[in-house]
Amino acid sequence: MRHGISDQDWNDYVEGRAGEGARDRIETHLTGCLSCWDFYEQMSRTDEALGEAGEEARRQLTLDDRQLHRLLRGTFARMRREQGLPQSQVRGRLTRLETVLTPFCGAQAAARALHAAARHSPASSLDRVTHDNWEPFLERLSVIAAAMCGETFASLVREQGLM
Amino acid sequence: LADKSVIEHFLAARTEEAFCALFEAVCVRLHRYFLLRGLEAATAEELTQNVMLKVYRQAGELRDAGRFYGWLFAIARNELVSYWRGRQARVSTVGFDELPAEDAGRMAVEHEAAAGLRLTGWLKALDPADRDLVVLRFVEGLSYEELAEALRLPLGTVKWRVFNARKKLSRVINETAGGRARQHVH
């Protein structure tokens, strides 16, 4: 809040998006307050400088066609590799996660956590977890792990699931 | 507008062909975001690929093309956070194989390009979370609604934080300009 004008109204005014009422109020105030006029000018100059700096970054940080296609080829190569992985590897990952969970919360709770994560993810059940729906499943399991044993444990689960 | 139709087509079709078009439209923005957030070129490329893979796999979660950029940069931001966490967790040092000269040259050029920008210097004055805001708002041109989605924050908080980041940057930019003017006089 500055001289009765909220930060949000100042923000909208500097960006030229203030509603008519707020704009009139600020402009009336600016005609009689030199320090706010200085403040407004400073914010406007900053906005302009940021606009120019953003334009400069967009101009300088580009990818040429060769780089772009190398990245695209690499992405497809990874996609193919992952699609080609057998379902047995998904089972292996699930077993590893169960091994991580068990010492912290017991075998039954570990199994329940895995089933709940699958049920509340696009896989819908544990035997339907695949590479394609692995990410949301793991995300859900991390949330459950965080609720059960805290954030540090959830990070550990996530790390193991990503390996 | 071209981007919008590419995004809509991908979300509707979700074919590899549609993904290629989407990749060409958005890949440069992701790569630039990672460079401006301080990553080296090779890491920026790797994380860009990670994000695009997730976009391909998880596109079914997104129905509204208008929310695409907020969703995309939320994934990118998570990827960046995971990367930093992983880096902090690694305790042993890893030996780097010697890079082929061509790759080393390319990485050096790209790293210099980001390091030489005015914005890179200004961002150092901000907290990491505010750097995200400034890059996504002033370089990538995200709307406040998209920023709120990308950063998982309420709209009012996003506006307040952009305003505060602008105030902080105003001081930094003034000091930089003042310093340059003094150098010029001397």
Side-chain angles (χ1 to χ4, degrees), chain A residues 103-142:
Chain A
F104 288 90
C105 56
Q108 274 192 336
R112 275 207 302 272
L114 287 167
H115 279 285
R119 205 167 46 249
H120 295 288
S121 76
S124 74
S125 72
L126 201 55
D127 55 358
R128 284 189 173 167
V129 176
T130 62
H131 280 286
D132 285 344
N133 56 35
W134 182 259
E135 283 288 329
F137 162 74
L138 184 62
E139 195 56 51
R140 179 57 58 181
L141 185 64
S142 305

Coordinates of all heavy atoms in Angstrom, one line a residue, chain A residues 103-142:
Chain A
P103 N 10.4 -51.1 5.3 CA 11.1 -50.9 6.6 C 10.5 -49.7 7.4 O 10.5 -49.6 8.6 CB 12.5 -50.6 6.3 CG 12.7 -51.1 4.9 CD 11.4 -51.0 4.2
F104 N 9.9 -48.7 6.6 CA 9.4 -47.5 7.3 C 8.0 -47.7 7.8 O 7.6 -47.1 8.8 CB 9.5 -46.3 6.2 CG 10.9 -45.9 6.0 CD1 11.6 -46.4 5.0 CD2 11.5 -44.9 6.8 CE1 12.9 -46.0 4.7 CE2 12.8 -44.4 6.5 CZ 13.5 -45.0 5.5
C105 N 7.2 -48.4 7.0 CA 5.8 -48.4 7.4 C 5.2 -49.8 7.5 O 4.0 -50.0 7.8 CB 5.0 -47.6 6.4 SG 5.1 -48.1 4.7
G106 N 6.0 -50.9 7.4 CA 5.5 -52.2 7.5 C 5.0 -52.7 6.1 O 4.6 -52.0 5.2
A107 N 5.0 -54.1 6.0 CA 4.7 -54.7 4.7 C 3.3 -54.4 4.2 O 3.0 -54.1 3.1 CB 5.0 -56.2 4.8
Q108 N 2.3 -54.5 5.2 CA 0.9 -54.3 4.8 C 0.7 -52.9 4.4 O 0.0 -52.7 3.3 CB 0.0 -54.6 6.0 CG -0.3 -56.1 6.1 CD -1.4 -56.3 7.1 OE1 -1.6 -55.5 8.0 NE2 -2.1 -57.4 7.0
A109 N 1.2 -51.9 5.1 CA 1.0 -50.5 4.7 C 1.7 -50.2 3.4 O 1.1 -49.4 2.6 CB 1.5 -49.6 5.8
A110 N 2.8 -50.8 3.2 CA 3.5 -50.6 1.9 C 2.7 -51.1 0.8 O 2.5 -50.4 -0.3 CB 4.9 -51.3 2.0
A111 N 2.1 -52.3 0.9 CA 1.3 -52.8 -0.2 C 0.1 -52.0 -0.4 O -0.3 -51.7 -1.5 CB 0.9 -54.3 0.2
R112 N -0.5 -51.5 0.7 CA -1.7 -50.7 0.6 C -1.4 -49.4 -0.1 O -2.2 -48.9 -0.9 CB -2.3 -50.4 2.0 CG -3.3 -51.5 2.5 CD -4.3 -51.0 3.5 NE -3.7 -50.4 4.6 CZ -3.4 -51.0 5.7 NH1 -3.6 -52.3 5.8 NH2 -2.8 -50.4 6.8
A113 N -0.2 -48.8 0.2 CA 0.2 -47.5 -0.4 C 0.3 -47.7 -1.9 O -0.1 -46.9 -2.7 CB 1.5 -47.0 0.2
L114 N 0.9 -48.8 -2.3 CA 1.1 -49.0 -3.7 C -0.2 -49.2 -4.4 O -0.5 -48.6 -5.5 CB 2.0 -50.3 -4.0 CG 3.5 -50.2 -3.7 CD1 4.1 -51.5 -3.6 CD2 4.2 -49.3 -4.7
H115 N -1.1 -50.0 -3.8 CA -2.4 -50.2 -4.4 C -3.2 -48.8 -4.5 O -3.9 -48.6 -5.5 CB -3.2 -51.2 -3.6 CG -2.8 -52.6 -4.0 ND1 -3.2 -53.2 -5.2 CD2 -2.0 -53.5 -3.4 CE1 -2.7 -54.4 -5.2 NE2 -2.0 -54.7 -4.2
A116 N -3.1 -48.1 -3.4 CA -3.9 -46.8 -3.4 C -3.3 -45.8 -4.4 O -4.1 -45.2 -5.1 CB -3.8 -46.2 -2.0
A117 N -2.0 -45.8 -4.6 CA -1.4 -44.9 -5.6 C -1.9 -45.3 -7.0 O -2.2 -44.4 -7.8 CB 0.1 -45.0 -5.5
A118 N -1.9 -46.6 -7.2 CA -2.4 -47.1 -8.6 C -3.8 -46.7 -8.8 O -4.2 -46.2 -9.8 CB -2.1 -48.6 -8.7
R119 N -4.6 -47.0 -7.7 CA -6.1 -46.8 -7.8 C -6.4 -45.3 -8.1 O -7.3 -45.0 -8.9 CB -6.8 -47.2 -6.5 CG -8.2 -47.6 -6.7 CD -8.8 -48.3 -5.5 NE -8.5 -47.7 -4.3 CZ -7.8 -48.3 -3.3 NH1 -7.2 -49.5 -3.6 NH2 -7.5 -47.7 -2.2
H120 N -5.6 -44.4 -7.5 CA -5.9 -43.0 -7.7 C -5.1 -42.3 -8.8 O -4.9 -41.1 -8.8 CB -5.7 -42.2 -6.4 CG -6.7 -42.7 -5.3 ND1 -8.0 -42.3 -5.4 CD2 -6.6 -43.5 -4.3 CE1 -8.7 -42.9 -4.4 NE2 -7.8 -43.6 -3.7
S121 N -4.5 -43.1 -9.7 CA -3.8 -42.6 -10.8 C -4.4 -43.1 -12.1 O -5.3 -44.0 -12.0 CB -2.3 -43.1 -10.7 OG -2.2 -44.4 -11.1
P122 N -4.0 -42.7 -13.3 CA -4.6 -43.2 -14.5 C -4.5 -44.7 -14.7 O -5.3 -45.2 -15.4 CB -3.8 -42.4 -15.6 CG -3.3 -41.2 -14.9 CD -3.0 -41.6 -13.5
A123 N -3.6 -45.4 -14.0 CA -3.5 -46.8 -14.1 C -4.7 -47.5 -13.6 O -5.1 -48.6 -14.1 CB -2.2 -47.3 -13.4
S124 N -5.3 -47.0 -12.6 CA -6.5 -47.4 -11.9 C -6.3 -48.7 -11.1 O -7.1 -49.0 -10.2 CB -7.7 -47.5 -12.8 OG -7.6 -48.6 -13.7
S125 N -5.4 -49.6 -11.4 CA -5.0 -50.7 -10.5 C -3.6 -51.1 -10.7 O -3.0 -50.7 -11.7 CB -5.9 -51.9 -10.9 OG -5.5 -52.5 -12.1
L126 N -3.0 -51.8 -9.7 CA -1.6 -52.0 -9.7 C -1.1 -52.8 -10.9 O 0.0 -52.6 -11.4 CB -1.2 -52.7 -8.4 CG 0.3 -52.6 -8.0 CD1 0.7 -51.1 -7.9 CD2 0.5 -53.3 -6.6
D127 N -1.9 -53.8 -11.3 CA -1.5 -54.6 -12.5 C -1.6 -53.9 -13.8 O -1.2 -54.4 -14.8 CB -2.2 -55.9 -12.5 CG -3.7 -55.7 -12.5 OD1 -4.2 -54.5 -12.5 OD2 -4.5 -56.7 -12.6
R128 N -2.1 -52.7 -13.8 CA -2.2 -51.9 -15.0 C -1.1 -50.8 -15.1 O -1.2 -49.9 -16.0 CB -3.6 -51.3 -15.2 CG -4.6 -52.3 -15.6 CD -5.8 -51.6 -15.9 NE -6.8 -52.4 -16.4 CZ -8.1 -52.1 -16.6 NH1 -8.5 -50.9 -16.2 NH2 -8.9 -52.9 -17.1
V129 N -0.3 -50.7 -14.1 CA 0.8 -49.7 -14.1 C 1.8 -50.1 -15.2 O 2.3 -51.2 -15.2 CB 1.5 -49.6 -12.7 CG1 2.7 -48.6 -12.8 CG2 0.5 -49.2 -11.7
T130 N 2.1 -49.1 -16.1 CA 3.0 -49.4 -17.2 C 4.0 -48.2 -17.3 O 3.9 -47.2 -16.5 CB 2.3 -49.5 -18.6 OG1 1.7 -48.2 -18.8 CG2 1.3 -50.6 -18.6
H131 N 4.9 -48.2 -18.3 CA 5.8 -47.1 -18.5 C 5.0 -45.8 -18.8 O 5.4 -44.7 -18.4 CB 6.8 -47.4 -19.6 CG 7.9 -48.2 -19.1 ND1 8.9 -47.7 -18.3 CD2 8.2 -49.5 -19.2 CE1 9.7 -48.7 -18.0 NE2 9.3 -49.8 -18.5
D132 N 3.9 -46.0 -19.6 CA 3.2 -44.8 -20.0 C 2.5 -44.1 -18.8 O 2.4 -42.9 -18.9 CB 2.0 -45.3 -21.0 CG 2.6 -45.6 -22.3 OD1 3.8 -45.2 -22.6 OD2 2.0 -46.2 -23.1
N133 N 2.0 -44.8 -17.8 CA 1.3 -44.1 -16.7 C 2.2 -44.2 -15.4 O 1.7 -43.9 -14.4 CB -0.1 -44.7 -16.5 CG 0.0 -46.2 -16.3 OD1 0.9 -46.7 -15.7 ND2 -1.0 -47.0 -16.7
W134 N 3.5 -44.4 -15.6 CA 4.3 -44.6 -14.4 C 4.5 -43.2 -13.7 O 4.4 -43.2 -12.4 CB 5.7 -45.0 -14.9 CG 6.7 -45.2 -13.7 CD1 7.7 -44.3 -13.3 CD2 6.7 -46.3 -12.8 NE1 8.3 -44.8 -12.2 CE2 7.7 -46.0 -11.8 CE3 5.9 -47.4 -12.6 CZ2 8.0 -46.8 -10.8 CZ3 6.2 -48.3 -11.5 CH2 7.3 -48.0 -10.6
E135 N 4.6 -42.1 -14.4 CA 4.9 -40.8 -13.8 C 3.7 -40.4 -12.8 O 4.0 -40.1 -11.7 CB 5.1 -39.7 -14.8 CG 6.4 -39.8 -15.5 CD 7.5 -39.3 -14.5 OE1 7.2 -38.4 -13.7 OE2 8.7 -39.7 -14.7
P136 N 2.5 -40.4 -13.3 CA 1.4 -40.0 -12.4 C 1.2 -41.0 -11.2 O 0.9 -40.6 -10.1 CB 0.1 -40.0 -13.2 CG 0.5 -40.6 -14.5 CD 2.0 -40.5 -14.7
F137 N 1.5 -42.3 -11.5 CA 1.5 -43.3 -10.4 C 2.5 -42.9 -9.3 O 2.2 -42.9 -8.1 CB 1.7 -44.7 -11.0 CG 2.1 -45.7 -9.9 CD1 1.2 -46.2 -9.0 CD2 3.4 -46.1 -9.8 CE1 1.6 -47.1 -8.0 CE2 3.8 -47.0 -8.8 CZ 2.9 -47.5 -7.9
L138 N 3.7 -42.6 -9.8 CA 4.8 -42.3 -8.8 C 4.5 -41.1 -8.1 O 4.8 -40.9 -6.9 CB 6.2 -42.2 -9.6 CG 7.4 -42.0 -8.8 CD1 7.6 -43.2 -7.8 CD2 8.6 -41.9 -9.6
E139 N 4.0 -40.1 -8.8 CA 3.6 -38.8 -8.2 C 2.6 -39.0 -7.0 O 2.8 -38.5 -5.9 CB 3.0 -37.9 -9.2 CG 2.9 -36.4 -8.9 CD 4.2 -35.9 -8.5 OE1 5.2 -36.0 -9.2 OE2 4.3 -35.3 -7.4
R140 N 1.6 -39.9 -7.3 CA 0.6 -40.2 -6.3 C 1.2 -40.9 -5.1 O 0.9 -40.7 -4.0 CB -0.5 -41.0 -7.0 CG -1.7 -41.5 -6.1 CD -2.4 -40.3 -5.4 NE -2.9 -39.4 -6.4 CZ -3.6 -38.3 -6.0 NH1 -3.8 -38.0 -4.7 NH2 -4.0 -37.5 -6.9
L141 N 2.1 -41.9 -5.4 CA 2.8 -42.6 -4.4 C 3.6 -41.7 -3.5 O 3.7 -41.9 -2.3 CB 3.6 -43.7 -5.0 CG 4.3 -44.7 -4.0 CD1 3.2 -45.5 -3.2 CD2 5.3 -45.6 -4.6
S142 N 4.2 -40.7 -4.1 CA 5.1 -39.7 -3.3 C 4.2 -39.0 -2.4 O 4.6 -38.7 -1.2 CB 5.8 -38.7 -4.3 OG 6.5 -39.4 -5.2

